[in-house]
Amino acid sequence: MKIAVVGGGNRCRNLLDLIEKHSFSEISPKIVAVADKKDDAPGLVKARENGLFVTNDYNDLFDRDDIDLIMELTGDQDVFNEILKKKKKTVRAVAHWIINFLYEISVALNSQVLAKQRLKEQRARCDVIMNVAINEKVMVISPDYRIIDANENLLKKAGLRRDQAIGRYCYEVSHNLDAPCSGERSPCPLPQAIKTKKPSQTTHIHTDKDNNELFFSVSCYPVFEDGKVIGVVGISRDITKDVNIQKLMVQQDRLASIGRLAAGVAHEINNPMTTILTSVMLMQEDTDPNDPNYQELKTIVDETLRCSKIVTSLLDFARQMKPAKKMSNPTDIIAECIVLTKKQAEFNDVVIVENLSEDLPLTNIDGDKIQQALINLTLNAIEATGPGGKVTLSAKFVPNNETFEITICDSGTGISDKDIDKIFDPFFTTKENGTGLGLAITLGIIEQHGGTIDVKSKLGQGTSFTIRLPLDQGNKDVHSL
Ligand SMILES: Nc1ncnc2c1ncn2[C@@H]1O[C@H](COP(=O)(O)OP(=O)(O)OP(=O)(O)O)[C@@H](O)[C@H]1O
Ligand SMILES: [Mg+2]
């Protein structure tokens, strides 16, 4: 199709370019002539350069035989009307507005094709991100916490199909909550990521059905469109193993330092203690058993022996030596602990209350060590309780999970939130003459028995420590043969 253009402006030049470069499938258009009043009109200049017929008077076009179509690009309706009047019958004509209209349609179609293509590419990229990170739970979330997309891993854990998850709130699907995650143990990183337009990370601490702590690293990465944050990619990763390894390393570090200290101190303490012990034993030999001092001397001997044992235990603990277990009666051990701490309680004007179940079964434990742990806790409780206060020791057997629960509860000062995470650290003390080893040793002993120790405290109201020891039947079965 041979075309003559009336109006040699920019649009004419663009048309010349387009026809030159584009390969048409059904028609093969060719511009053969351009008319414009101005000699320097860009379309006319280009046509001249290309060796086409050019003229300043469009009337020159009507006599030519090599034209099938005249395009009017001047934008002047009168010019188009004149073309219609003067052109040969076999020649067709189109007005500028039809060409504008066709041009706009082609631009719109083009941008639709491009947008579809872009969407396809984005979707493919997203699919890779969403489904490659198989160990992580991944969601794309809008700023109002609605799920835009989620990966297979998350959907599997939530027991949902993708279409069931999309549109629901992220906290509903991932945490079964009816409001966004919050609080110290599960802070939400989304608002921070939206506000700062930067990635934000928090750690969630949850507990499983056995009361074990599980740690999750939760990160939000902002997603931008035209410079605006339109949502975030939220990634949740289970980091419990990493945290536990880290804790173990810190614990081992502490143990190593206690070990070094204990080894040095034990030698120095044992010598004077042996001197005290022999002197007191000699004095006891020279004292009549009916003498009131005889009993006091016996207490000094017993307590010095206990000190000596504590030094040994400290060394055991530092070296993580195995406890010497034998079948023991927990009721006896607790009763003995009360006897040994009663004097200290009386001195502080604190009442010790026993609340022991009678049917505690025998268990395979190192009675001396457990007693030492209970004495540490009871002394702490007495020391934290003012005159007129109360310390309660209770013990019960929980048949469901086969554990002993021993609780030492006091009406004392309580522990501040700032301190509570540190009380089991070796050498942490708030007392003028404390070593800060009591709870570290206690924790070591309980852990060596496969048990746990929990603390609950309210400042000004009191503290309660709960030890949970698994029932260990030892070689009971061998006895019953
Ligand atoms: N029942 C309690 N009430 C209030 N605070 C307590 C209680 N038990 C422990 N604590 C706090 O924990 C800290 C550490 O206790 P831990 O038994 O390890 O050492 P200590 O008692 O300070 O020293 P030591 O045991 O050598 O006398 C205490 O200093 C105290 O601040
Ligand atoms: Mg103590």
Side-chain angles (χ1 to χ4, degrees), residues 375-377 379-381 383 428-429 431 434-440 442:
I375 288 174
N376 286 344
L377 294 176
L379 286 178
N380 278 350
E383 283 161 13
F428 175 79
T429 182
K431 298 171 193 166
T435 63
L437 282 171
L439 286 181
T442 304

Side-chain angles (χ1 to χ4, degrees), residues 212-471:
N212 298 315
E213 281 193 323
L214 304 173
F215 297 84
F216 292 89
S217 163
V218 183
S219 310
C220 277
Y221 299 89
V223 179
F224 296 92
E225 199 176 277
D226 300 330
K228 268 171 66 185
V229 180
I230 53 149
V232 297
V233 175
I235 301 180
S236 163
R237 191 163 68 88
D238 187 346
I239 53 163
T240 312
K241 264 193 198 154
D242 307 338
V243 172
N244 286 344
I245 289 172
Q246 218 171 8
K247 276 190 183 168
L248 202 72
M249 279 163 71
V250 172
Q251 165 88 343
Q252 279 170 354
D253 227 36
R254 279 191 202 136
L255 291 180
S257 34
I258 296 179
R260 281 195 295 277
L261 182 96
V265 172
H267 178 70
E268 300 301 315
I269 287 183
N270 266 338
N271 285 348
M273 230 142 42
T274 318
T275 319
I276 297 170
L277 204 59
T278 21
S279 308
V280 178
M281 279 172 148
L282 286 173
M283 281 166 76
Q284 213 185 1
E285 267 178 29
D286 293 342
T287 311
D288 179 14
N290 296 320
D291 189 317
N293 284 336
Y294 185 87
Q295 204 49 40
E296 296 297 331
L297 290 171
K298 185 178 178 298
T299 310
I300 297 177
V301 171
D302 289 350
E303 289 298 282
T304 315
L305 281 171
R306 199 164 67 79
C307 286
S308 173
K309 258 189 186 172
I310 288 175
V311 173
T312 319
S313 296
L314 180 59
L315 278 167
D316 288 355
F317 166 65
R319 296 191 200 115
Q320 290 283 296
M321 266 169 63
K322 271 194 160 181
K325 289 186 181 177
K326 61 174 194 282
M327 290 309 278
S328 317
N329 184 345
T331 315
D332 290 349
I333 293 169
I334 300 165
E336 183 72 10
C337 161
I338 293 174
V339 169
L340 288 171
T341 51
K342 211 150 206 163
K343 271 226 169 99
Q344 189 67 26
E346 279 167 12
F347 185 73
N348 286 36
D349 192 15
V350 171
V351 185
I352 298 196
V353 181
E354 273 179 64
N355 184 11
L356 311 180
S357 293
E358 278 167 15
D359 54 350
L360 294 182
L362 290 184
T363 184
N364 194 31
I365 50 175
D366 185 330
D368 284 348
K369 284 196 166 179
I370 295 293
Q371 186 174 310
Q372 189 190 333
L374 295 178
I375 288 174
N376 286 344
L377 294 176
T378 314
L379 286 178
N380 278 350
I382 294 169
E383 283 161 13
T385 308
K390 194 166 82 171
V391 172
T392 312
L393 269 87
S394 11
K396 63 176 181 195
F397 178 66
V398 188
N400 279 358
N401 41 14
E402 300 256 289
T403 40
F404 290 103
E405 254 184 44
I406 307 169
T407 306
I408 292 120
C409 178
D410 67 63
S411 59
T413 55
I415 306 169
S416 69
D417 287 348
K418 175 173 73 67
D419 287 347
I420 202 139
D421 287 341
K422 296 184 232 151
I423 57 169
F424 290 101
D425 289 356
F427 309 116
F428 175 79
T429 182
T430 54
K431 298 171 193 166
E432 212 171 302
N433 297 316
T435 63
L437 282 171
L439 286 181
I441 292 172
T442 304
L443 178 67
I445 293 170
I446 301 304
E447 284 184 343
Q448 278 175 338
H449 282 81
T452 59
I453 177 162
D454 281 329
V455 54
K456 284 202 183 95
S457 189
K458 239 190 172 153
L459 210 55
Q461 291 187 19
T463 305
S464 88
F465 283 88
T466 302
I467 291 175
R468 290 189 182 86
L469 284 175
L471 174 71

